Amino acid sequence: MAAVWYELKHQCKQTGARYGILHTPHGDFETPLFMPVGTKANVKTLIPSEIKEVSEGLILGNTYHLWLQPGDEIIKKFGGIRGFMNWDGALLTDSGGFQVFSLSKIRKITEEGVEFRHHKSGEKLFLTPEKSIEIQNNLGADIIMSFDECPPFNSTYEYMKDSVDRTIRWAKRGKDAHKNPETQALFGIVQGGGNKEIRKYCLEKLMEIDFPGYSIGGLSVGESKADMYEMLEFLKDIMPSDKPRYLMGVGSPDDLVVGAMNGIDMFDCVLPSRNARHGTAFTSYGKVQVKNASLKSSHEPLDPKCDCYVCKTYTKGYLNHLVKSEEILGMRLLTYHNLYFLKTLMANVRKAIQEDRLADFKDEFFKSFGYEKK
Amino acid sequence: MAAVWYELKHQCKQTGARYGILHTPHGDFETPLFMPVGTKANVKTLIPSEIKEVSEGLILGNTYHLWLQPGDEIIKKFGGIRGFMNWDGALLTDSGGFQVFSLSKIRKITEEGVEFRHHKSGEKLFLTPEKSIEIQNNLGADIIMSFDECPPFNSTYEYMKDSVDRTIRWAKRGKDAHKNPETQALFGIVQGGGNKEIRKYCLEKLMEIDFPGYSIGGLSVGESKADMYEMLEFLKDIMPSDKPRYLMGVGSPDDLVVGAMNGIDMFDCVLPSRNARHGTAFTSYGKVQVKNASLKSSHEPLDPKCDCYVCKTYTKGYLNHLVKSEEILGMRLLTYHNLYFLKTLMANVRKAIQEDRLADFKDEFFKSFGYEKK
């Protein structure tokens, strides 16, 4: 038995969206789901019992950051990220590839791997597919990622093809280097930017190598939403239906709903927690700038339709005061609320799929959240 | 019946330290106790249920900060600070006087009050004894403070005498302006810097006005510990034994123990939470710089003798990682631990008083914490 496997339970008759169960060594999870990001072995501001309350029990850690601090060898001795941070739920790590390309300005890509400089110290570093997998083996997540290049969405055909061919070779090398396939499921990552032909080619080559799950990388990297949604629609029909599908780094409420409509099972994003630290809350009536003076005297909860701890306990006036005063507690409470909001949203998405009405749900949600109808 | 009254239960035969009960409208508290500081209507990083765990249930709010943001009139409409922050325990507010003198560079003291500039915006502001009490009436704490001047410890005799005379007149004006003596106990503040004669004079004049409790201000403001302890010893025998005694702004572990030995019942200080945010922890074996590289690989708890959530859950290695990574969660966990440490320390102090062995306890504690014997 593979470390992780996907069970398709129902497809929405209105949209084709998938409701299923993701089986992992540390829990079975209803999908589609959103995974909070715990970059540095913690979901910012929260303790594990709270992460449980605001997630399905599956979170993400970042290989790049933890490799550099405190180091994967050290984390391994603590029992991996899960032992280190005292998390008894399930875990996914990325490959570090995205951070190499997004955080490091100076880098050199060779067949062997990527040479780059530490985003703070400037120290010279080298990451290869084998090294990424070795780190991820040490970090010990249930789901791990192939080391890939994330080329710009609108790269030339030639660059994109070369890059994707290398990503495919790196995926194979990573699979060969992977030491714990029985306990850690290695996903392949479909790249190809905005080029459908190359996306399809990449997917097919990865399927030949054979992975227990497939991720979609290189989306939500600056392209328009229309471009992203078009690519998701294209991929929807060609991705294998018996494997989990993970759309990397996507987590705005509209993208989660549209992603689910296009058959995505798993999402992650720093957006809800980062927005929270900057005073922006997601609510049933749209985004709220909590610092806004209009909230100052409000005795109402942030979201009257939300039953999270924050909305049951505090007023908008108090949250406004905390955010305006730059109090850490404000960041903490909004992080909790925003993650809870996405958890609730995804539960509603799953319900709508099972009831064959996800397109209707999308219209209702977009209207209440204040999105233009798309 | 006064809003707040003190019941002396036992005096340590070794030291004369007082064990008693402080009765307030929102709870009866064993003393001596330490009160965590919740400057801006929150104890930084913590929610009320956690504040309960790391305190006796009595905390402090700062009049100056809350007057300026969001404003006492607004807080009044939320049911005072307690309603605003959802705190069902007891509460004390200071008068704002100390912040006017410590935060504001430009100020002018007149008989009427103090004119000063906002410590951030530069806006011109004016605080008087009547205004301070009005704000504190709106903030609604169980215990409130007279508006005083906090003169430098080593002011000239002439300056000190003038200042203290004014502080006494301000105390009387504050008492006259106080609207809710049945629900909020107004304490007088003994000033006088390092001058015993003036301290005694101030105390006697305040006792003539008659307050339900007396605070000691103007200590731990830069003078030596020897100077502070000498003054505490002096005041110990002349303060009224049937009223609570509150030593303002003092909270390092050694000062708490020595303060208790000198008959102090109540303490507050930002030190434990501020230290926490800067990565310093109090432990049974002394202060620990949690960022220190020697902790990096440690699988031990921060303090093996501590039974707080942090010490029961996390390793020194993980806390080192959080602090080194400047994660908010690190600040939160150390704040929790440091406050819990002081809560435990004060529980041990009370036990030692009841067992007539506080001097022995002091020696044991100073030795284990790494203080020089004093």
Side-chain angles (χ1 to χ4, degrees), chain A residues 33-54:
Chain A
L33 57 66
F34 176 80
M35 303 178 287
V37 177
T39 296
K40 299 177 184 179
N42 77 107
V43 173
K44 286 189 197 298
T45 79
L46 303 182
I47 58 174
S49 59
E50 292 160 353
I51 304 172
K52 277 277 167 78
E53 290 163 12
V54 299

mmCIF file with all atom_site columns, all heavy atoms in Angstrom, chain A residues 33-54:
data_model
loop_
_atom_site.group_PDB
_atom_site.id
_atom_site.type_symbol
_atom_site.label_atom_id
_atom_site.label_alt_id
_atom_site.label_comp_id
_atom_site.label_asym_id
_atom_site.label_entity_id
_atom_site.label_seq_id
_atom_site.pdbx_PDB_ins_code
_atom_site.Cartn_x
_atom_site.Cartn_y
_atom_site.Cartn_z
_atom_site.occupancy
_atom_site.B_iso_or_equiv
_atom_site.pdbx_formal_charge
_atom_site.auth_seq_id
_atom_site.auth_comp_id
_atom_site.auth_asym_id
_atom_site.auth_atom_id
_atom_site.pdbx_PDB_model_num
ATOM 1   N N   . LEU A 1 33 ? -9.717  20.241 0.258  1.00 0.00 ? 33 LEU A N   1
ATOM 2   C CA  . LEU A 1 33 ? -9.403  20.879 1.530  1.00 0.00 ? 33 LEU A CA  1
ATOM 3   C C   . LEU A 1 33 ? -8.331  21.940 1.347  1.00 0.00 ? 33 LEU A C   1
ATOM 4   O O   . LEU A 1 33 ? -7.605  21.941 0.357  1.00 0.00 ? 33 LEU A O   1
ATOM 5   C CB  . LEU A 1 33 ? -8.965  19.845 2.572  1.00 0.00 ? 33 LEU A CB  1
ATOM 6   C CG  . LEU A 1 33 ? -7.777  18.914 2.319  1.00 0.00 ? 33 LEU A CG  1
ATOM 7   C CD1 . LEU A 1 33 ? -6.459  19.654 2.241  1.00 0.00 ? 33 LEU A CD1 1
ATOM 8   C CD2 . LEU A 1 33 ? -7.697  17.904 3.455  1.00 0.00 ? 33 LEU A CD2 1
ATOM 9   N N   . PHE A 1 34 ? -8.277  22.829 2.328  1.00 0.00 ? 34 PHE A N   1
ATOM 10  C CA  . PHE A 1 34 ? -7.239  23.847 2.357  1.00 0.00 ? 34 PHE A CA  1
ATOM 11  C C   . PHE A 1 34 ? -6.244  23.504 3.468  1.00 0.00 ? 34 PHE A C   1
ATOM 12  O O   . PHE A 1 34 ? -6.645  23.150 4.573  1.00 0.00 ? 34 PHE A O   1
ATOM 13  C CB  . PHE A 1 34 ? -7.841  25.234 2.621  1.00 0.00 ? 34 PHE A CB  1
ATOM 14  C CG  . PHE A 1 34 ? -6.790  26.306 2.743  1.00 0.00 ? 34 PHE A CG  1
ATOM 15  C CD1 . PHE A 1 34 ? -6.224  26.858 1.605  1.00 0.00 ? 34 PHE A CD1 1
ATOM 16  C CD2 . PHE A 1 34 ? -6.339  26.737 3.980  1.00 0.00 ? 34 PHE A CD2 1
ATOM 17  C CE1 . PHE A 1 34 ? -5.227  27.823 1.694  1.00 0.00 ? 34 PHE A CE1 1
ATOM 18  C CE2 . PHE A 1 34 ? -5.342  27.699 4.087  1.00 0.00 ? 34 PHE A CE2 1
ATOM 19  C CZ  . PHE A 1 34 ? -4.791  28.244 2.940  1.00 0.00 ? 34 PHE A CZ  1
ATOM 20  N N   . MET A 1 35 ? -4.950  23.623 3.157  1.00 0.00 ? 35 MET A N   1
ATOM 21  C CA  . MET A 1 35 ? -3.908  23.323 4.151  1.00 0.00 ? 35 MET A CA  1
ATOM 22  C C   . MET A 1 35 ? -3.241  24.618 4.609  1.00 0.00 ? 35 MET A C   1
ATOM 23  O O   . MET A 1 35 ? -2.610  25.314 3.803  1.00 0.00 ? 35 MET A O   1
ATOM 24  C CB  . MET A 1 35 ? -2.842  22.423 3.523  1.00 0.00 ? 35 MET A CB  1
ATOM 25  C CG  . MET A 1 35 ? -3.383  21.124 2.960  1.00 0.00 ? 35 MET A CG  1
ATOM 26  S SD  . MET A 1 35 ? -2.088  20.109 2.181  1.00 0.00 ? 35 MET A SD  1
ATOM 27  C CE  . MET A 1 35 ? -1.770  21.035 0.675  1.00 0.00 ? 35 MET A CE  1
ATOM 28  N N   . PRO A 1 36 ? -3.344  24.965 5.899  1.00 0.00 ? 36 PRO A N   1
ATOM 29  C CA  . PRO A 1 36 ? -2.611  26.137 6.396  1.00 0.00 ? 36 PRO A CA  1
ATOM 30  C C   . PRO A 1 36 ? -1.100  25.931 6.245  1.00 0.00 ? 36 PRO A C   1
ATOM 31  O O   . PRO A 1 36 ? -0.609  24.811 6.337  1.00 0.00 ? 36 PRO A O   1
ATOM 32  C CB  . PRO A 1 36 ? -2.994  26.202 7.880  1.00 0.00 ? 36 PRO A CB  1
ATOM 33  C CG  . PRO A 1 36 ? -4.276  25.444 7.985  1.00 0.00 ? 36 PRO A CG  1
ATOM 34  C CD  . PRO A 1 36 ? -4.175  24.357 6.952  1.00 0.00 ? 36 PRO A CD  1
ATOM 35  N N   . VAL A 1 37 ? -0.404  27.020 6.024  1.00 0.00 ? 37 VAL A N   1
ATOM 36  C CA  . VAL A 1 37 ? 1.044   26.955 5.834  1.00 0.00 ? 37 VAL A CA  1
ATOM 37  C C   . VAL A 1 37 ? 1.763   27.172 7.165  1.00 0.00 ? 37 VAL A C   1
ATOM 38  O O   . VAL A 1 37 ? 1.519   28.162 7.860  1.00 0.00 ? 37 VAL A O   1
ATOM 39  C CB  . VAL A 1 37 ? 1.509   28.007 4.809  1.00 0.00 ? 37 VAL A CB  1
ATOM 40  C CG1 . VAL A 1 37 ? 3.037   27.966 4.676  1.00 0.00 ? 37 VAL A CG1 1
ATOM 41  C CG2 . VAL A 1 37 ? 0.851   27.761 3.462  1.00 0.00 ? 37 VAL A CG2 1
ATOM 42  N N   . GLY A 1 38 ? 2.639   26.223 7.490  1.00 0.00 ? 38 GLY A N   1
ATOM 43  C CA  . GLY A 1 38 ? 3.464   26.339 8.689  1.00 0.00 ? 38 GLY A CA  1
ATOM 44  C C   . GLY A 1 38 ? 4.926   26.412 8.280  1.00 0.00 ? 38 GLY A C   1
ATOM 45  O O   . GLY A 1 38 ? 5.712   25.513 8.556  1.00 0.00 ? 38 GLY A O   1
ATOM 46  N N   . THR A 1 39 ? 5.284   27.510 7.645  1.00 0.00 ? 39 THR A N   1
ATOM 47  C CA  . THR A 1 39 ? 6.596   27.652 7.003  1.00 0.00 ? 39 THR A CA  1
ATOM 48  C C   . THR A 1 39 ? 7.745   27.141 7.866  1.00 0.00 ? 39 THR A C   1
ATOM 49  O O   . THR A 1 39 ? 8.492   26.247 7.472  1.00 0.00 ? 39 THR A O   1
ATOM 50  C CB  . THR A 1 39 ? 6.845   29.129 6.639  1.00 0.00 ? 39 THR A CB  1
ATOM 51  O OG1 . THR A 1 39 ? 5.866   29.503 5.669  1.00 0.00 ? 39 THR A OG1 1
ATOM 52  C CG2 . THR A 1 39 ? 8.231   29.326 6.041  1.00 0.00 ? 39 THR A CG2 1
ATOM 53  N N   . LYS A 1 40 ? 7.894   27.735 9.048  1.00 0.00 ? 40 LYS A N   1
ATOM 54  C CA  . LYS A 1 40 ? 9.054   27.433 9.886  1.00 0.00 ? 40 LYS A CA  1
ATOM 55  C C   . LYS A 1 40 ? 8.676   26.525 11.055 1.00 0.00 ? 40 LYS A C   1
ATOM 56  O O   . LYS A 1 40 ? 8.954   26.823 12.216 1.00 0.00 ? 40 LYS A O   1
ATOM 57  C CB  . LYS A 1 40 ? 9.666   28.735 10.397 1.00 0.00 ? 40 LYS A CB  1
ATOM 58  C CG  . LYS A 1 40 ? 10.165  29.645 9.269  1.00 0.00 ? 40 LYS A CG  1
ATOM 59  C CD  . LYS A 1 40 ? 10.688  30.956 9.796  1.00 0.00 ? 40 LYS A CD  1
ATOM 60  C CE  . LYS A 1 40 ? 11.097  31.886 8.643  1.00 0.00 ? 40 LYS A CE  1
ATOM 61  N NZ  . LYS A 1 40 ? 11.580  33.186 9.137  1.00 0.00 ? 40 LYS A NZ  1
ATOM 62  N N   . ALA A 1 41 ? 8.001   25.429 10.743 1.00 0.00 ? 41 ALA A N   1
ATOM 63  C CA  . ALA A 1 41 ? 7.584   24.463 11.763 1.00 0.00 ? 41 ALA A CA  1
ATOM 64  C C   . ALA A 1 41 ? 6.653   25.085 12.794 1.00 0.00 ? 41 ALA A C   1
ATOM 65  O O   . ALA A 1 41 ? 6.683   24.748 13.979 1.00 0.00 ? 41 ALA A O   1
ATOM 66  C CB  . ALA A 1 41 ? 8.786   23.797 12.443 1.00 0.00 ? 41 ALA A CB  1
ATOM 67  N N   . ASN A 1 42 ? 5.851   26.050 12.340 1.00 0.00 ? 42 ASN A N   1
ATOM 68  C CA  . ASN A 1 42 ? 4.720   26.521 13.138 1.00 0.00 ? 42 ASN A CA  1
ATOM 69  C C   . ASN A 1 42 ? 3.797   27.315 12.222 1.00 0.00 ? 42 ASN A C   1
ATOM 70  O O   . ASN A 1 42 ? 4.264   27.978 11.305 1.00 0.00 ? 42 ASN A O   1
ATOM 71  C CB  . ASN A 1 42 ? 5.173   27.391 14.329 1.00 0.00 ? 42 ASN A CB  1
ATOM 72  C CG  . ASN A 1 42 ? 5.560   28.810 13.956 1.00 0.00 ? 42 ASN A CG  1
ATOM 73  O OD1 . ASN A 1 42 ? 4.860   29.788 14.219 1.00 0.00 ? 42 ASN A OD1 1
ATOM 74  N ND2 . ASN A 1 42 ? 6.693   28.962 13.269 1.00 0.00 ? 42 ASN A ND2 1
ATOM 75  N N   . VAL A 1 43 ? 2.508   27.160 12.432 1.00 0.00 ? 43 VAL A N   1
ATOM 76  C CA  . VAL A 1 43 ? 1.554   28.027 11.742 1.00 0.00 ? 43 VAL A CA  1
ATOM 77  C C   . VAL A 1 43 ? 1.554   29.322 12.547 1.00 0.00 ? 43 VAL A C   1
ATOM 78  O O   . VAL A 1 43 ? 1.198   29.326 13.724 1.00 0.00 ? 43 VAL A O   1
ATOM 79  C CB  . VAL A 1 43 ? 0.153   27.392 11.675 1.00 0.00 ? 43 VAL A CB  1
ATOM 80  C CG1 . VAL A 1 43 ? -0.859  28.376 11.110 1.00 0.00 ? 43 VAL A CG1 1
ATOM 81  C CG2 . VAL A 1 43 ? 0.198   26.124 10.829 1.00 0.00 ? 43 VAL A CG2 1
ATOM 82  N N   . LYS A 1 44 ? 1.992   30.391 11.915 1.00 0.00 ? 44 LYS A N   1
ATOM 83  C CA  . LYS A 1 44 ? 2.333   31.617 12.646 1.00 0.00 ? 44 LYS A CA  1
ATOM 84  C C   . LYS A 1 44 ? 1.274   32.008 13.676 1.00 0.00 ? 44 LYS A C   1
ATOM 85  O O   . LYS A 1 44 ? 0.098   32.081 13.360 1.00 0.00 ? 44 LYS A O   1
ATOM 86  C CB  . LYS A 1 44 ? 2.581   32.768 11.664 1.00 0.00 ? 44 LYS A CB  1
ATOM 87  C CG  . LYS A 1 44 ? 3.931   32.618 10.949 1.00 0.00 ? 44 LYS A CG  1
ATOM 88  C CD  . LYS A 1 44 ? 4.299   33.848 10.124 1.00 0.00 ? 44 LYS A CD  1
ATOM 89  C CE  . LYS A 1 44 ? 5.401   33.528 9.120  1.00 0.00 ? 44 LYS A CE  1
ATOM 90  N NZ  . LYS A 1 44 ? 6.674   33.107 9.721  1.00 0.00 ? 44 LYS A NZ  1
ATOM 91  N N   . THR A 1 45 ? 1.734   32.253 14.884 1.00 0.00 ? 45 THR A N   1
ATOM 92  C CA  . THR A 1 45 ? 0.973   32.706 16.067 1.00 0.00 ? 45 THR A CA  1
ATOM 93  C C   . THR A 1 45 ? 0.192   31.592 16.784 1.00 0.00 ? 45 THR A C   1
ATOM 94  O O   . THR A 1 45 ? -0.253  31.809 17.909 1.00 0.00 ? 45 THR A O   1
ATOM 95  C CB  . THR A 1 45 ? -0.016  33.872 15.785 1.00 0.00 ? 45 THR A CB  1
ATOM 96  O OG1 . THR A 1 45 ? -1.210  33.362 15.175 1.00 0.00 ? 45 THR A OG1 1
ATOM 97  C CG2 . THR A 1 45 ? 0.609   34.966 14.915 1.00 0.00 ? 45 THR A CG2 1
ATOM 98  N N   . LEU A 1 46 ? 0.034   30.410 16.149 1.00 0.00 ? 46 LEU A N   1
ATOM 99  C CA  . LEU A 1 46 ? -0.882  29.411 16.717 1.00 0.00 ? 46 LEU A CA  1
ATOM 100 C C   . LEU A 1 46 ? -0.177  28.194 17.304 1.00 0.00 ? 46 LEU A C   1
ATOM 101 O O   . LEU A 1 46 ? 0.886   27.792 16.831 1.00 0.00 ? 46 LEU A O   1
ATOM 102 C CB  . LEU A 1 46 ? -1.862  28.942 15.637 1.00 0.00 ? 46 LEU A CB  1
ATOM 103 C CG  . LEU A 1 46 ? -2.715  30.022 14.957 1.00 0.00 ? 46 LEU A CG  1
ATOM 104 C CD1 . LEU A 1 46 ? -3.662  29.384 13.945 1.00 0.00 ? 46 LEU A CD1 1
ATOM 105 C CD2 . LEU A 1 46 ? -3.493  30.836 15.984 1.00 0.00 ? 46 LEU A CD2 1
ATOM 106 N N   . ILE A 1 47 ? -0.809  27.596 18.324 1.00 0.00 ? 47 ILE A N   1
ATOM 107 C CA  . ILE A 1 47 ? -0.316  26.335 18.886 1.00 0.00 ? 47 ILE A CA  1
ATOM 108 C C   . ILE A 1 47 ? -1.082  25.184 18.223 1.00 0.00 ? 47 ILE A C   1
ATOM 109 O O   . ILE A 1 47 ? -2.157  25.389 17.644 1.00 0.00 ? 47 ILE A O   1
ATOM 110 C CB  . ILE A 1 47 ? -0.477  26.295 20.422 1.00 0.00 ? 47 ILE A CB  1
ATOM 111 C CG1 . ILE A 1 47 ? -1.944  26.495 20.839 1.00 0.00 ? 47 ILE A CG1 1
ATOM 112 C CG2 . ILE A 1 47 ? 0.419   27.339 21.078 1.00 0.00 ? 47 ILE A CG2 1
ATOM 113 C CD1 . ILE A 1 47 ? -2.179  26.329 22.345 1.00 0.00 ? 47 ILE A CD1 1
ATOM 114 N N   . PRO A 1 48 ? -0.518  23.970 18.301 1.00 0.00 ? 48 PRO A N   1
ATOM 115 C CA  . PRO A 1 48 ? -1.115  22.836 17.587 1.00 0.00 ? 48 PRO A CA  1
ATOM 116 C C   . PRO A 1 48 ? -2.609  22.619 17.844 1.00 0.00 ? 48 PRO A C   1
ATOM 117 O O   . PRO A 1 48 ? -3.360  22.320 16.906 1.00 0.00 ? 48 PRO A O   1
ATOM 118 C CB  . PRO A 1 48 ? -0.270  21.651 18.057 1.00 0.00 ? 48 PRO A CB  1
ATOM 119 C CG  . PRO A 1 48 ? 1.084   22.252 18.300 1.00 0.00 ? 48 PRO A CG  1
ATOM 120 C CD  . PRO A 1 48 ? 0.785   23.606 18.900 1.00 0.00 ? 48 PRO A CD  1
ATOM 121 N N   . SER A 1 49 ? -3.060  22.762 19.094 1.00 0.00 ? 49 SER A N   1
ATOM 122 C CA  . SER A 1 49 ? -4.491  22.518 19.346 1.00 0.00 ? 49 SER A CA  1
ATOM 123 C C   . SER A 1 49 ? -5.352  23.517 18.582 1.00 0.00 ? 49 SER A C   1
ATOM 124 O O   . SER A 1 49 ? -6.454  23.200 18.138 1.00 0.00 ? 49 SER A O   1
ATOM 125 C CB  . SER A 1 49 ? -4.791  22.590 20.846 1.00 0.00 ? 49 SER A CB  1
ATOM 126 O OG  . SER A 1 49 ? -4.435  23.864 21.365 1.00 0.00 ? 49 SER A OG  1
ATOM 127 N N   . GLU A 1 50 ? -4.845  24.746 18.415 1.00 0.00 ? 50 GLU A N   1
ATOM 128 C CA  . GLU A 1 50 ? -5.586  25.741 17.631 1.00 0.00 ? 50 GLU A CA  1
ATOM 129 C C   . GLU A 1 50 ? -5.519  25.430 16.132 1.00 0.00 ? 50 GLU A C   1
ATOM 130 O O   . GLU A 1 50 ? -6.495  25.621 15.406 1.00 0.00 ? 50 GLU A O   1
ATOM 131 C CB  . GLU A 1 50 ? -5.029  27.146 17.907 1.00 0.00 ? 50 GLU A CB  1
ATOM 132 C CG  . GLU A 1 50 ? -5.304  27.606 19.326 1.00 0.00 ? 50 GLU A CG  1
ATOM 133 C CD  . GLU A 1 50 ? -4.395  28.732 19.797 1.00 0.00 ? 50 GLU A CD  1
ATOM 134 O OE1 . GLU A 1 50 ? -3.441  29.088 19.077 1.00 0.00 ? 50 GLU A OE1 1
ATOM 135 O OE2 . GLU A 1 50 ? -4.612  29.242 20.909 1.00 0.00 ? 50 GLU A OE2 1
ATOM 136 N N   . ILE A 1 51 ? -4.358  24.950 15.686 1.00 0.00 ? 51 ILE A N   1
ATOM 137 C CA  . ILE A 1 51 ? -4.232  24.576 14.263 1.00 0.00 ? 51 ILE A CA  1
ATOM 138 C C   . ILE A 1 51 ? -5.260  23.491 13.944 1.00 0.00 ? 51 ILE A C   1
ATOM 139 O O   . ILE A 1 51 ? -5.889  23.506 12.886 1.00 0.00 ? 51 ILE A O   1
ATOM 140 C CB  . ILE A 1 51 ? -2.803  24.086 13.943 1.00 0.00 ? 51 ILE A CB  1
ATOM 141 C CG1 . ILE A 1 51 ? -1.750  25.133 14.336 1.00 0.00 ? 51 ILE A CG1 1
ATOM 142 C CG2 . ILE A 1 51 ? -2.680  23.769 12.450 1.00 0.00 ? 51 ILE A CG2 1
ATOM 143 C CD1 . ILE A 1 51 ? -0.302  24.643 14.222 1.00 0.00 ? 51 ILE A CD1 1
ATOM 144 N N   . LYS A 1 52 ? -5.439  22.582 14.897 1.00 0.00 ? 52 LYS A N   1
ATOM 145 C CA  . LYS A 1 52 ? -6.459  21.535 14.705 1.00 0.00 ? 52 LYS A CA  1
ATOM 146 C C   . LYS A 1 52 ? -7.836  22.161 14.498 1.00 0.00 ? 52 LYS A C   1
ATOM 147 O O   . LYS A 1 52 ? -8.616  21.714 13.661 1.00 0.00 ? 52 LYS A O   1
ATOM 148 C CB  . LYS A 1 52 ? -6.491  20.601 15.925 1.00 0.00 ? 52 LYS A CB  1
ATOM 149 C CG  . LYS A 1 52 ? -5.444  19.501 15.906 1.00 0.00 ? 52 LYS A CG  1
ATOM 150 C CD  . LYS A 1 52 ? -5.902  18.316 15.075 1.00 0.00 ? 52 LYS A CD  1
ATOM 151 C CE  . LYS A 1 52 ? -4.761  17.346 14.774 1.00 0.00 ? 52 LYS A CE  1
ATOM 152 N NZ  . LYS A 1 52 ? -4.437  16.486 15.918 1.00 0.00 ? 52 LYS A NZ  1
ATOM 153 N N   . GLU A 1 53 ? -8.126  23.189 15.289 1.00 0.00 ? 53 GLU A N   1
ATOM 154 C CA  . GLU A 1 53 ? -9.461  23.808 15.217 1.00 0.00 ? 53 GLU A CA  1
ATOM 155 C C   . GLU A 1 53 ? -9.703  24.536 13.897 1.00 0.00 ? 53 GLU A C   1
ATOM 156 O O   . GLU A 1 53 ? -10.837 24.661 13.457 1.00 0.00 ? 53 GLU A O   1
ATOM 157 C CB  . GLU A 1 53 ? -9.636  24.794 16.388 1.00 0.00 ? 53 GLU A CB  1
ATOM 158 C CG  . GLU A 1 53 ? -9.743  24.120 17.750 1.00 0.00 ? 53 GLU A CG  1
ATOM 159 C CD  . GLU A 1 53 ? -9.501  25.083 18.921 1.00 0.00 ? 53 GLU A CD  1
ATOM 160 O OE1 . GLU A 1 53 ? -9.467  26.311 18.698 1.00 0.00 ? 53 GLU A OE1 1
ATOM 161 O OE2 . GLU A 1 53 ? -9.331  24.596 20.045 1.00 0.00 ? 53 GLU A OE2 1
ATOM 162 N N   . VAL A 1 54 ? -8.634  25.040 13.299 1.00 0.00 ? 54 VAL A N   1
ATOM 163 C CA  . VAL A 1 54 ? -8.814  25.873 12.099 1.00 0.00 ? 54 VAL A CA  1
ATOM 164 C C   . VAL A 1 54 ? -8.365  25.168 10.819 1.00 0.00 ? 54 VAL A C   1
ATOM 165 O O   . VAL A 1 54 ? -8.275  25.797 9.764  1.00 0.00 ? 54 VAL A O   1
ATOM 166 C CB  . VAL A 1 54 ? -8.076  27.227 12.225 1.00 0.00 ? 54 VAL A CB  1
ATOM 167 C CG1 . VAL A 1 54 ? -8.616  28.023 13.407 1.00 0.00 ? 54 VAL A CG1 1
ATOM 168 C CG2 . VAL A 1 54 ? -6.565  27.033 12.343 1.00 0.00 ? 54 VAL A CG2 1
#
